[in-house]
Amino acid sequence: MKIAILGAGALGCYYGARLQESGQDVSFIVRSEYGYLKEHGLEVKSLHGDISLPHVKVYRDPAEVGPVDLVVVAWKSTANAGFAKALPPLMGPDTVVVTLQNGMGNAEEIARIIPADRIYVGLCFICAMRAEPGHVTHLEGGNIQFAPFVPSPEGSEKARELSELFASAGIKTRAFDAAEQIQWYKLVWNIPFNGLCLALGGISIAELYQNPENVARARRIMEEVVQAARARGYTLPDDLVEFHLSRTESMGSFIPSSAVDYNAGRPIEYMAIWGDPLAKAHQAGASLPEWEQLDRDIRKRLNMD
């Protein structure tokens, strides 16, 4: 299968490496690390088994790749203005696009460029860091949930096919029928932990857990996100908050992506992770005092007000 990975950060490199190792024809479309990847390849150090790829197909311009069977979007939502240039050269008559991006609003942006029924959402639960060019460290997780952007029987079947494709690369997967349901599932973690680590100045999970009040606050925010999902018509597992709390404590020195971007002076995925989901929750009439306070703290940290 011909697969194009848009974005070669930790996420794109990890899943692209797994797919290439499983025998798929993978092309990485990159910006900053083009030279290193072309000369040295890609190394992944993972708790699920290390991967060494001395040779990877790497390109700067999607037009050099041409039409593929599957486009995997792995860049930050802050790069979404690039869809208009990047997607058309990759699209053939049967090409589908999977966005593995954080938060909400990404599939809607892609739907401005290609038919909405060819778009799928993949929600990743993974701790991975790019320590240096061409080297990814995978610390925890890696599971993906897939769902069609436009619900339909055909979309659900294709989501199952995508799930099987990634499962054949050694990735735990599950297919769902509705994209918004799985988006809320991940936001239960992303909103509080990505948000608190950012709002508190770009700290790690270990630093966050040093203060019990931070953990208590994260719990309260998670419970509100679960309530927001319910108000939107999506019931999440009863044990989801406890599950996220227990898995997060073991992440140690891991720094969530928005805190990493803040520390590096890069743009933050504010709208995708906090702005758009909060607006959807407000539309549904949810009461969210803890989440709203976090939102104010983030906006203050980013000098948005």
Side-chain angles (χ1 to χ4, degrees), residues 194-203 217 259 294 297-299 301:
N194 220 337
L196 287 170
C197 288
L198 168 61
L200 293 171
I203 65 173
R217 187 180 177 192
L294 173 63
D297 293 343
I298 292 170
R299 293 178 66 85
R301 171 64 62 180

Side-chain angles (χ1 to χ4, degrees), residues 227-250:
Q227 293 169 14
R230 187 178 300 118
R232 295 282 300 177
Y234 300 101
T235 301
L236 301 180
D238 292 337
D239 62 348
L240 186 58
V241 170
E242 295 302 327
F243 168 74
H244 280 317
L245 283 170
S246 63
R247 67 182 279 266
T248 303
E249 188 172 12
S250 66

